[in-house]
Amino acid sequence: MTRTPEEIRAELAENGLSLAAWARRYGFSEALTYRVMRGHPAKLGQSHRIAVALGLKEGRLAGLHELSFPISKETAARDERVSQVRDQRGTKTKP
């Protein structure tokens, strides 16, 4: 069953996790993750993998372990601090 972007954002918020932190945690491009959430076509490559991992579309992810939202609040807080420092420095995340 697929989910809407609103449902995904709500689940992330419940777990204290931003979309950017989720993307970093699973090795996805933050920018592409945001684009996929805004409706960017996700037919091939990383955009497809992001859409499937988030639950925006059905499919299988060969070679990836099960992805899940729940993580510790400490990990979520650390990911947010790293994101804030990068934003302050203007440092981009590696794709």
mmCIF file of all heavy atoms in Angstrom, residues 57-87:
data_model
loop_
_atom_site.group_PDB
_atom_site.id
_atom_site.type_symbol
_atom_site.label_atom_id
_atom_site.label_comp_id
_atom_site.label_asym_id
_atom_site.label_seq_id
_atom_site.Cartn_x
_atom_site.Cartn_y
_atom_site.Cartn_z
ATOM 1 N N LYS A 57 5.474 4.771 -3.685
ATOM 2 C CA LYS A 57 5.084 3.851 -4.745
ATOM 3 C C LYS A 57 5.486 2.443 -4.350
ATOM 4 O O LYS A 57 6.359 2.256 -3.503
ATOM 5 C CB LYS A 57 5.683 4.258 -6.085
ATOM 6 C CG LYS A 57 7.189 4.187 -6.163
ATOM 7 C CD LYS A 57 7.742 4.729 -7.467
ATOM 8 C CE LYS A 57 7.580 3.759 -8.599
ATOM 9 N NZ LYS A 57 8.247 4.183 -9.831
ATOM 10 N N GLU A 58 4.834 1.487 -4.959
ATOM 11 C CA GLU A 58 5.143 0.091 -4.662
ATOM 12 C C GLU A 58 6.330 -0.355 -5.492
ATOM 13 O O GLU A 58 6.573 0.169 -6.584
ATOM 14 C CB GLU A 58 3.926 -0.787 -4.932
ATOM 15 C CG GLU A 58 2.791 -0.488 -3.973
ATOM 16 C CD GLU A 58 1.605 -1.414 -4.160
ATOM 17 O OE1 GLU A 58 1.754 -2.457 -4.824
ATOM 18 O OE2 GLU A 58 0.542 -1.087 -3.638
ATOM 19 N N GLY A 59 7.052 -1.303 -4.989
ATOM 20 C CA GLY A 59 8.197 -1.834 -5.693
ATOM 21 C C GLY A 59 9.125 -2.533 -4.728
ATOM 22 O O GLY A 59 8.878 -2.569 -3.523
ATOM 23 N N ARG A 60 10.189 -3.071 -5.283
ATOM 24 C CA ARG A 60 11.177 -3.782 -4.469
ATOM 25 C C ARG A 60 12.513 -3.092 -4.606
ATOM 26 O O ARG A 60 12.865 -2.594 -5.668
ATOM 27 C CB ARG A 60 11.282 -5.230 -4.922
ATOM 28 C CG ARG A 60 9.993 -5.994 -4.658
ATOM 29 C CD ARG A 60 10.096 -7.408 -5.076
ATOM 30 N NE ARG A 60 11.294 -8.004 -4.493
ATOM 31 C CZ ARG A 60 11.578 -9.282 -4.541
ATOM 32 N NH1 ARG A 60 10.774 -10.096 -5.149
ATOM 33 N NH2 ARG A 60 12.675 -9.759 -4.003
ATOM 34 N N LEU A 61 13.256 -3.082 -3.522
ATOM 35 C CA LEU A 61 14.576 -2.466 -3.513
ATOM 36 C C LEU A 61 15.628 -3.561 -3.387
ATOM 37 O O LEU A 61 15.919 -4.014 -2.292
ATOM 38 C CB LEU A 61 14.700 -1.476 -2.348
ATOM 39 C CG LEU A 61 13.746 -0.302 -2.380
ATOM 40 C CD1 LEU A 61 13.878 0.525 -1.115
ATOM 41 C CD2 LEU A 61 14.020 0.560 -3.592
ATOM 42 N N ALA A 62 16.168 -3.969 -4.493
ATOM 43 C CA ALA A 62 17.200 -5.010 -4.473
ATOM 44 C C ALA A 62 18.457 -4.469 -3.809
ATOM 45 O O ALA A 62 18.908 -3.371 -4.096
ATOM 46 C CB ALA A 62 17.522 -5.450 -5.895
ATOM 47 N N GLY A 63 18.988 -5.243 -2.881
ATOM 48 C CA GLY A 63 20.246 -4.878 -2.253
ATOM 49 C C GLY A 63 20.142 -3.941 -1.071
ATOM 50 O O GLY A 63 21.138 -3.625 -0.447
ATOM 51 N N LEU A 64 18.955 -3.475 -0.740
ATOM 52 C CA LEU A 64 18.805 -2.610 0.423
ATOM 53 C C LEU A 64 18.123 -3.379 1.540
ATOM 54 O O LEU A 64 17.194 -4.143 1.307
ATOM 55 C CB LEU A 64 17.956 -1.378 0.103
ATOM 56 C CG LEU A 64 18.606 -0.302 -0.745
ATOM 57 C CD1 LEU A 64 17.644 0.862 -0.924
ATOM 58 C CD2 LEU A 64 19.883 0.198 -0.113
ATOM 59 N N HIS A 65 18.613 -3.153 2.741
ATOM 60 C CA HIS A 65 17.952 -3.751 3.894
ATOM 61 C C HIS A 65 16.647 -3.011 4.132
ATOM 62 O O HIS A 65 16.433 -1.924 3.609
ATOM 63 C CB HIS A 65 18.851 -3.647 5.132
ATOM 64 C CG HIS A 65 20.144 -4.374 4.959
ATOM 65 N ND1 HIS A 65 20.213 -5.735 4.856
ATOM 66 C CD2 HIS A 65 21.399 -3.917 4.838
ATOM 67 C CE1 HIS A 65 21.475 -6.095 4.693
ATOM 68 N NE2 HIS A 65 22.214 -5.002 4.675
ATOM 69 N N GLU A 66 15.808 -3.604 4.925
ATOM 70 C CA GLU A 66 14.523 -2.969 5.208
ATOM 71 C C GLU A 66 14.754 -1.577 5.791
ATOM 72 O O GLU A 66 15.555 -1.386 6.686
ATOM 73 C CB GLU A 66 13.742 -3.821 6.203
ATOM 74 C CG GLU A 66 12.400 -3.243 6.549
ATOM 75 C CD GLU A 66 11.652 -4.099 7.551
ATOM 76 O OE1 GLU A 66 11.984 -5.266 7.707
ATOM 77 O OE2 GLU A 66 10.743 -3.559 8.178
ATOM 78 N N LEU A 67 14.056 -0.617 5.246
ATOM 79 C CA LEU A 67 14.154 0.749 5.734
ATOM 80 C C LEU A 67 12.971 1.013 6.644
ATOM 81 O O LEU A 67 11.852 0.624 6.343
ATOM 82 C CB LEU A 67 14.121 1.743 4.576
ATOM 83 C CG LEU A 67 15.188 1.573 3.512
ATOM 84 C CD1 LEU A 67 14.989 2.604 2.412
ATOM 85 C CD2 LEU A 67 16.566 1.724 4.111
ATOM 86 N N SER A 68 13.226 1.670 7.742
ATOM 87 C CA SER A 68 12.130 1.997 8.641
ATOM 88 C C SER A 68 12.342 3.375 9.227
ATOM 89 O O SER A 68 13.456 3.877 9.264
ATOM 90 C CB SER A 68 12.029 0.955 9.760
ATOM 91 O OG SER A 68 13.216 0.951 10.514
ATOM 92 N N PHE A 69 11.289 3.976 9.689
ATOM 93 C CA PHE A 69 11.366 5.312 10.251
ATOM 94 C C PHE A 69 11.830 5.327 11.694
ATOM 95 O O PHE A 69 12.597 6.195 12.068
ATOM 96 C CB PHE A 69 10.008 6.009 10.142
ATOM 97 C CG PHE A 69 9.670 6.394 8.741
ATOM 98 C CD1 PHE A 69 8.912 5.576 7.941
ATOM 99 C CD2 PHE A 69 10.140 7.576 8.216
ATOM 100 C CE1 PHE A 69 8.605 5.936 6.651
ATOM 101 C CE2 PHE A 69 9.841 7.938 6.913
ATOM 102 C CZ PHE A 69 9.077 7.114 6.136
ATOM 103 N N PRO A 70 11.343 4.429 12.544
ATOM 104 C CA PRO A 70 11.681 4.577 13.950
ATOM 105 C C PRO A 70 13.188 4.489 14.206
ATOM 106 O O PRO A 70 13.846 3.533 13.835
ATOM 107 C CB PRO A 70 10.961 3.411 14.624
ATOM 108 C CG PRO A 70 9.856 3.064 13.705
ATOM 109 C CD PRO A 70 10.393 3.350 12.325
ATOM 110 N N ILE A 71 13.717 5.530 14.821
ATOM 111 C CA ILE A 71 15.099 5.541 15.289
ATOM 112 C C ILE A 71 15.079 6.199 16.647
ATOM 113 O O ILE A 71 14.091 6.803 17.049
ATOM 114 C CB ILE A 71 16.041 6.300 14.330
ATOM 115 C CG1 ILE A 71 15.635 7.763 14.217
ATOM 116 C CG2 ILE A 71 16.125 5.637 12.991
ATOM 117 C CD1 ILE A 71 16.648 8.612 13.504
ATOM 118 N N SER A 72 16.166 6.089 17.349
ATOM 119 C CA SER A 72 16.189 6.676 18.686
ATOM 120 C C SER A 72 16.112 8.193 18.597
ATOM 121 O O SER A 72 16.535 8.801 17.618
ATOM 122 C CB SER A 72 17.461 6.258 19.415
ATOM 123 O OG SER A 72 18.577 6.932 18.859
ATOM 124 N N LYS A 73 15.582 8.794 19.626
ATOM 125 C CA LYS A 73 15.500 10.254 19.673
ATOM 126 C C LYS A 73 16.895 10.865 19.686
ATOM 127 O O LYS A 73 17.102 11.947 19.148
ATOM 128 C CB LYS A 73 14.703 10.686 20.891
ATOM 129 C CG LYS A 73 13.225 10.317 20.783
ATOM 130 C CD LYS A 73 12.405 11.092 21.765
ATOM 131 C CE LYS A 73 10.959 10.692 21.729
ATOM 132 N NZ LYS A 73 10.264 11.101 20.547
ATOM 133 N N GLU A 74 17.873 10.146 20.259
ATOM 134 C CA GLU A 74 19.243 10.646 20.284
ATOM 135 C C GLU A 74 19.819 10.712 18.869
ATOM 136 O O GLU A 74 20.467 11.681 18.491
ATOM 137 C CB GLU A 74 20.136 9.756 21.166
ATOM 138 C CG GLU A 74 19.797 9.810 22.641
ATOM 139 C CD GLU A 74 18.614 8.919 23.012
ATOM 140 O OE1 GLU A 74 18.203 8.055 22.208
ATOM 141 O OE2 GLU A 74 18.085 9.111 24.125
ATOM 142 N N THR A 75 19.552 9.683 18.066
ATOM 143 C CA THR A 75 20.035 9.667 16.692
ATOM 144 C C THR A 75 19.370 10.764 15.879
ATOM 145 O O THR A 75 20.018 11.468 15.104
ATOM 146 C CB THR A 75 19.772 8.296 16.037
ATOM 147 O OG1 THR A 75 20.454 7.293 16.793
ATOM 148 C CG2 THR A 75 20.259 8.256 14.601
ATOM 149 N N ALA A 76 18.073 10.938 16.072
ATOM 150 C CA ALA A 76 17.356 11.992 15.354
ATOM 151 C C ALA A 76 17.907 13.361 15.732
ATOM 152 O O ALA A 76 18.111 14.215 14.864
ATOM 153 C CB ALA A 76 15.861 11.910 15.656
ATOM 154 N N ALA A 77 18.170 13.575 17.019
ATOM 155 C CA ALA A 77 18.703 14.857 17.479
ATOM 156 C C ALA A 77 20.088 15.100 16.894
ATOM 157 O O ALA A 77 20.403 16.215 16.448
ATOM 158 C CB ALA A 77 18.750 14.893 19.004
ATOM 159 N N ARG A 78 20.919 14.073 16.856
ATOM 160 C CA ARG A 78 22.258 14.205 16.277
ATOM 161 C C ARG A 78 22.167 14.548 14.794
ATOM 162 O O ARG A 78 22.858 15.444 14.306
ATOM 163 C CB ARG A 78 23.056 12.915 16.449
ATOM 164 C CG ARG A 78 24.499 13.065 15.957
ATOM 165 C CD ARG A 78 25.169 11.756 15.619
ATOM 166 N NE ARG A 78 24.492 11.188 14.464
ATOM 167 C CZ ARG A 78 24.164 9.913 14.347
ATOM 168 N NH1 ARG A 78 24.428 9.056 15.288
ATOM 169 N NH2 ARG A 78 23.559 9.477 13.262
ATOM 170 N N ASP A 79 21.295 13.857 14.074
ATOM 171 C CA ASP A 79 21.133 14.126 12.648
ATOM 172 C C ASP A 79 20.682 15.564 12.410
ATOM 173 O O ASP A 79 21.139 16.209 11.478
ATOM 174 C CB ASP A 79 20.123 13.155 12.026
ATOM 175 C CG ASP A 79 20.668 11.744 11.871
ATOM 176 O OD1 ASP A 79 21.885 11.554 12.046
ATOM 177 O OD2 ASP A 79 19.873 10.845 11.569
ATOM 178 N N GLU A 80 19.801 16.060 13.260
ATOM 179 C CA GLU A 80 19.330 17.437 13.120
ATOM 180 C C GLU A 80 20.456 18.431 13.405
ATOM 181 O O GLU A 80 20.591 19.436 12.716
ATOM 182 C CB GLU A 80 18.147 17.709 14.049
ATOM 183 C CG GLU A 80 16.852 17.136 13.544
ATOM 184 C CD GLU A 80 16.483 17.641 12.163
ATOM 185 O OE1 GLU A 80 16.530 18.852 11.906
ATOM 186 O OE2 GLU A 80 16.135 16.801 11.317
ATOM 187 N N ARG A 81 21.277 18.142 14.435
ATOM 188 C CA ARG A 81 22.396 19.040 14.750
ATOM 189 C C ARG A 81 23.379 19.093 13.593
ATOM 190 O O ARG A 81 23.861 20.166 13.214
ATOM 191 C CB ARG A 81 23.104 18.598 16.032
ATOM 192 C CG ARG A 81 22.330 18.928 17.291
ATOM 193 C CD ARG A 81 23.180 18.738 18.537
ATOM 194 N NE ARG A 81 23.753 17.407 18.678
ATOM 195 C CZ ARG A 81 23.142 16.367 19.230
ATOM 196 N NH1 ARG A 81 21.912 16.493 19.707
ATOM 197 N NH2 ARG A 81 23.736 15.203 19.324
ATOM 198 N N VAL A 82 23.674 17.944 12.994
ATOM 199 C CA VAL A 82 24.582 17.895 11.848
ATOM 200 C C VAL A 82 24.005 18.700 10.694
ATOM 201 O O VAL A 82 24.715 19.476 10.045
ATOM 202 C CB VAL A 82 24.847 16.428 11.418
ATOM 203 C CG1 VAL A 82 25.537 16.362 10.069
ATOM 204 C CG2 VAL A 82 25.668 15.701 12.474
ATOM 205 N N SER A 83 22.720 18.558 10.451
ATOM 206 C CA SER A 83 22.066 19.293 9.377
ATOM 207 C C SER A 83 22.137 20.795 9.619
ATOM 208 O O SER A 83 22.419 21.572 8.705
ATOM 209 C CB SER A 83 20.611 18.848 9.252
ATOM 210 O OG SER A 83 19.971 19.532 8.213
ATOM 211 N N GLN A 84 21.921 21.221 10.856
ATOM 212 C CA GLN A 84 21.973 22.645 11.186
ATOM 213 C C GLN A 84 23.375 23.207 11.000
ATOM 214 O O GLN A 84 23.542 24.307 10.481
ATOM 215 C CB GLN A 84 21.497 22.872 12.619
ATOM 216 C CG GLN A 84 20.016 22.634 12.791
ATOM 217 C CD GLN A 84 19.590 22.625 14.247
ATOM 218 O OE1 GLN A 84 20.409 22.760 15.144
ATOM 219 N NE2 GLN A 84 18.302 22.450 14.476
ATOM 220 N N VAL A 85 24.386 22.461 11.419
ATOM 221 C CA VAL A 85 25.769 22.914 11.253
ATOM 222 C C VAL A 85 26.098 23.035 9.772
ATOM 223 O O VAL A 85 26.701 24.015 9.332
ATOM 224 C CB VAL A 85 26.762 21.957 11.964
ATOM 225 C CG1 VAL A 85 28.194 22.259 11.561
ATOM 226 C CG2 VAL A 85 26.588 22.041 13.472
ATOM 227 N N ARG A 86 25.685 22.056 8.982
ATOM 228 C CA ARG A 86 25.928 22.113 7.537
ATOM 229 C C ARG A 86 25.238 23.311 6.914
ATOM 230 O O ARG A 86 25.790 23.984 6.055
ATOM 231 C CB ARG A 86 25.455 20.829 6.864
ATOM 232 C CG ARG A 86 26.374 19.666 7.107
ATOM 233 C CD ARG A 86 25.907 18.456 6.338
ATOM 234 N NE ARG A 86 26.841 17.369 6.527
ATOM 235 C CZ ARG A 86 26.494 16.106 6.584
ATOM 236 N NH1 ARG A 86 25.227 15.764 6.456
ATOM 237 N NH2 ARG A 86 27.404 15.177 6.750
ATOM 238 N N ASP A 87 24.001 23.584 7.359
ATOM 239 C CA ASP A 87 23.275 24.735 6.828
ATOM 240 C C ASP A 87 23.985 26.035 7.177
ATOM 241 O O ASP A 87 24.081 26.938 6.341
ATOM 242 C CB ASP A 87 21.845 24.774 7.376
ATOM 243 C CG ASP A 87 20.965 23.672 6.806
ATOM 244 O OD1 ASP A 87 21.353 23.061 5.781
ATOM 245 O OD2 ASP A 87 19.906 23.411 7.382
#
